[in-house]
Amino acid sequence: MKRARQKPEVENEAPQTSQKSKKQKTSLCGSVLGGSALHSSLDWGSLPHHVILRVFQFLPLVDRARASSVCRRWNEVFHIPDLWRRFEFELNQPATSYLKSTHPDLIQQIIKRHADHLQYVSFKVDSSTESAEAACNILSQLVNCSIKTLGLISTAKPSFMNVSKAHFASALTVVFVNSKSLSSIKVDDTPLDDPSLKVLVANNSDTLKLLKMSSCPHVSPAGILCVADQCHGLKELALNYYILSDELLLALSSEKHVDLEHLRIDVVSENPGQARFHTIKKQSWDALLRHSPKVSIVMYFFLYEEEFDAFFGEETPVTHLYFGRAVSKALLGRVGLHCPRLVELVVCANGLQPLDEELLRIAQRCKHLTAMGLGECEVTCRGFLEFVKMCGGRLAQLSIMEEVLIPDSDYTLDRLRLEVSQHLGRMWFPDMMPTW
């Protein structure tokens, strides 16, 4: 009977325990629900504009556009001018590129509502002429713009060169005339011409600081000279060698002109023997250095060996030299003799004659050399080690293909690597040729 009495007691305790746990769960749920209710009571649409704006600034354009459809307030923030100061138009044809393009509806919305807000604008186009023409069409509609920087970028072959010169000039004229505050222009590989440069100068001479116009075949020495004569604030300039002249260097050295900081010169020949290159006088280089003693002068060479006669016959203040094709031992010898300001030297190819003597001359006379790269060349291990000893720890970058180094009776590649590492003060390894 006692067991019979105890059994119901145990059965009665279980519901009590269950009720207690239910109460605990209820109270927990209540607190959670209460927090959720409090959380849901927040009106996301009432967040301050500056908070939403800050969030939008971290979002990609597609996500920002989606977020703008949440409520009216977020849509208002979506159109705040600060979000449209900087924009990159991506124009690609599905048939010729796998890259995404800026949606046409968005482009029209920008032209209608945000053209006067754009300040830092770039156009990336694929290899199709249609994309380049689309970029020109957009430029032609920016009649109320106040652009400060403009970049036209061909991601593959220079498709802007396929656009008619008249169409391209007309599109640029709209921007040049209406902006009046352009400070940076990158128009490499385009049909830019002298009349367009005159329009640029007439409307933006007080603000222009950077002009990159390599491979613009319709620009003449007189056209770039006009820019140098009028744009006294120009600090960076990139151009082809054929429009570089003594007159241009002297114009950049005038008392009215600010110190030039960066000059890039592309020296290019497509067909051997067809191009004849002029020589810039030492006096012109000296004038530029007196006026801008800290200027970086970068030269990219894509010439054939027989076309280098006009270069490095006398002192040249180049700081960075890149040879994209084979160069002779004689030319590298002239570099060692006449380029005392050299900071970086890259030689893609030379031939089967060791460059020991030339490298030692460069190490001895180019006291500022901090970076060296050698591709299809030959240097003995002993000669290379002597070069490193002479340069010492100032060689911050040393990129040498393993195939360049010729082992000898004194030095294997492993021993050379260890000694070079000691002189550089860091671990160093030659570069390996990929096997794929």
Side-chain angles (χ1 to χ4, degrees), residues 2-21:
K2 288 182 181 179
R3 290 179 182 174
R5 287 195 201 98
Q6 289 173 355
K7 200 167 188 179
E9 290 176 4
V10 175
E11 291 175 356
N12 290 335
E13 286 177 4
Q16 290 177 3
T17 305
S18 176
Q19 289 174 4
K20 287 182 181 179
S21 62

Side-chain angles (χ1 to χ4, degrees), residues 246 249 279-287 289 297 299 310-319 334-342 365-366 368:
D246 295 296
L249 293 180
T279 300
I280 299 296
K281 297 177 182 176
K282 182 178 181 300
Q283 295 89 331
S284 303
W285 287 122
D286 291 343
L289 275 189
I297 301 176
M299 298 186 75
F311 302 98
F312 310 118
E314 53 186 357
E315 189 168 305
T316 307
V318 62
T319 55
R334 298 205 302 268
V335 169
L337 285 174
H338 300 305
C339 299
R341 298 180 75 235
L342 193 62
R365 298 180 62 89
C366 304
H368 305 285

Side-chain angles (χ1 to χ4, degrees), residues 235-359:
K235 292 186 176 183
E236 295 188 41
L237 178 62
L239 72 170
N240 278 76
Y241 186 81
Y242 78 91
I243 58 176
L244 182 70
S245 63
D246 295 296
E247 292 78 11
L248 175 61
L249 293 180
L250 294 176
L252 294 171
S253 308
S254 69
E255 294 182 359
K256 295 180 181 179
H257 208 289
V258 301
D259 286 2
L260 193 68
E261 296 177 358
H262 189 88
L263 176 62
R264 169 174 168 160
I265 305 163
D266 290 350
V267 192
V268 182
S269 172
E270 299 297 338
N271 300 302
Q274 289 191 1
R276 297 190 57 146
F277 295 93
H278 59 286
T279 300
I280 299 296
K281 297 177 182 176
K282 182 178 181 300
Q283 295 89 331
S284 303
W285 287 122
D286 291 343
L288 180 65
L289 275 189
R290 284 194 300 270
H291 181 267
S292 304
K294 296 182 179 180
V295 61
S296 294
I297 301 176
V298 182
M299 298 186 75
Y300 286 83
F301 282 89
F302 294 90
L303 301 184
Y304 297 90
E305 285 191 29
E306 61 271 20
E307 297 177 320
F308 280 100
D309 292 343
F311 302 98
F312 310 118
E314 53 186 357
E315 189 168 305
T316 307
V318 62
T319 55
H320 299 73
L321 263 178
Y322 304 94
F323 293 104
R325 293 181 184 149
V327 294
S328 65
K329 284 171 61 71
L331 177 69
L332 292 176
R334 298 205 302 268
V335 169
L337 285 174
H338 300 305
C339 299
R341 298 180 75 235
L342 193 62
V343 173
E344 182 176 8
L345 174 63
V346 176
V347 180
C348 290
N350 167 257
L352 300 178
Q353 297 176 309
L355 299 176
D356 297 25
E357 182 180 345
E358 290 72 24
L359 288 185

